Amino acid sequence: MEKKPLVGLAALAVANLLVFAAPFYYIMPLVAHRQSLLTLAFWSQRIAPGVAAVSLVCAIWLLRPQWKAGKLPKTAVPLFIPILMNLPVGFINPVEWMFAPAEKVRIAPIHQFADIEETDMVIGIMRNGQSRAYPVRYLAYHHMLNDQLGGLPVLPTY
């Protein structure tokens, strides 16, 4: 069997893997989040389904002689996985997936909150005689929290 179709399919698989991985690479916690990287991630996310569709057509075209002959190599099947992974990527926002909204947040008076240290940084709000402190280490993951204080909505963010 000729190796060229498998090499072409492998190249398509690598290209799709790179397009698929770019948005997820951006949201990694220890990566420097520069504007150029953010632009690449969003651009990559937008084109992922189109790249996958074109790659799928090209892959089928490359393998059509083996397919018709009933001799599709078993090594070709795993190479379709990165291509198929890209189809739904355009509909997924990895930033929202990674930084899921804070739900079921427990609000408690400071003397009942056992997990806060005297050295913890907090964001404090006082409104209509009521006050609330939000530990920064809790906001650091979700970055914001919808809350109500003094009958008005507040959105502490870090």
Side-chain angles (χ1 to χ4, degrees):
M1 187 189 114
E2 196 176 329
K3 296 281 185 192
K4 286 183 182 179
L6 281 180
V7 171
L9 183 58
L12 290 170
V14 168
N16 275 270
L17 192 58
L18 291 173
V19 169
F20 177 82
F24 293 94
Y25 174 77
Y26 170 73
I27 63 172
M28 288 180 17
L30 300 177
V31 171
H33 298 123
R34 297 180 309 273
Q35 180 61 39
S36 59
L37 191 56
L38 178 61
T39 301
L40 173 68
F42 284 129
W43 177 79
S44 177
Q45 180 185 5
R46 282 189 204 113
I47 68 165
V51 168
V54 169
S55 296
L56 196 55
V57 170
C58 290
I60 292 169
W61 183 80
L62 281 170
L63 295 172
R64 77 187 182 295
Q66 290 88 355
W67 213 317
K68 286 181 180 178
K71 296 180 181 177
L72 187 65
K74 290 181 182 179
T75 54
V77 176
L79 294 173
F80 277 92
I81 293 171
I83 296 170
L84 295 174
M85 284 181 349
N86 260 349
L87 289 172
V89 167
F91 306 102
I92 299 170
N93 185 340
V95 175
E96 289 178 2
W97 172 73
M98 176 69 174
F99 300 107
E103 295 180 3
K104 299 180 183 176
V105 176
R106 189 185 81 196
I107 305 294
I110 192 69
H111 66 279
Q112 291 179 359
F113 198 75
D115 196 30
I116 194 155
E117 304 290 330
E118 286 184 25
T119 57
D120 280 344
M121 291 190 314
V122 297
I123 294 176
I125 300 175
M126 183 169 226
R127 177 169 271 169
N128 296 340
Q130 294 181 337
S131 62
R132 185 135 323 133
Y134 303 92
V136 169
R137 65 186 159 107
Y138 287 109
L139 289 174
Y141 176 75
H142 295 287
H143 297 285
M144 64 181 83
L145 176 70
N146 288 314
D147 199 4
Q148 293 248 340
L149 185 64
L152 296 170
V154 294
L155 183 70
T157 183
Y158 174 76

